[in-house]
Amino acid sequence: MTGWFRLTLGLLAVVVGLVWTLQGLGYLRGSLMSGDDVWAIIGPIFVVIGLALLVVGLRARNRAKRQPR
């Protein structure tokens, strides 16, 4: 996986995780997931995974920039 792909997946995981967390906590209504405690637990897990992917992606991009072509 290239750095930009990890960054994209990481950003997507953070956004999805935040939405799931807010739905699980009952702040976002209109879904079957609203107010369900399971999503209030799964959401932050996705946020952490997304942040880890963002860090790995940034490191890969920085490493690629330093290498001569």
Side-chain angles (χ1 to χ4, degrees), residues 4-26:
W4 67 268
F5 187 68
R6 288 183 186 126
L7 287 172
T8 304
L9 283 180
L11 185 60
L12 182 64
V14 168
V15 170
V16 168
L18 286 174
V19 169
W20 286 353
T21 301
L22 292 173
Q23 284 180 328
L25 294 174

Side-chain angles (χ1 to χ4, degrees), residues 1-68:
M1 276 194 282
T2 60
W4 67 268
F5 187 68
R6 288 183 186 126
L7 287 172
T8 304
L9 283 180
L11 185 60
L12 182 64
V14 168
V15 170
V16 168
L18 286 174
V19 169
W20 286 353
T21 301
L22 292 173
Q23 284 180 328
L25 294 174
Y27 292 115
L28 292 177
R29 299 254 180 230
S31 169
L32 294 174
M33 297 173 8
S34 297
D36 192 353
D37 294 339
V38 171
W39 297 106
I41 296 168
I42 293 173
I45 293 170
F46 258 72
V47 170
V48 170
I49 291 169
L51 291 174
L53 279 172
L54 285 173
V55 169
V56 170
L58 286 173
R59 287 184 180 178
R61 284 190 66 206
N62 288 337
R63 205 173 326 126
K65 284 182 182 179
R66 284 187 253 143
Q67 292 178 353

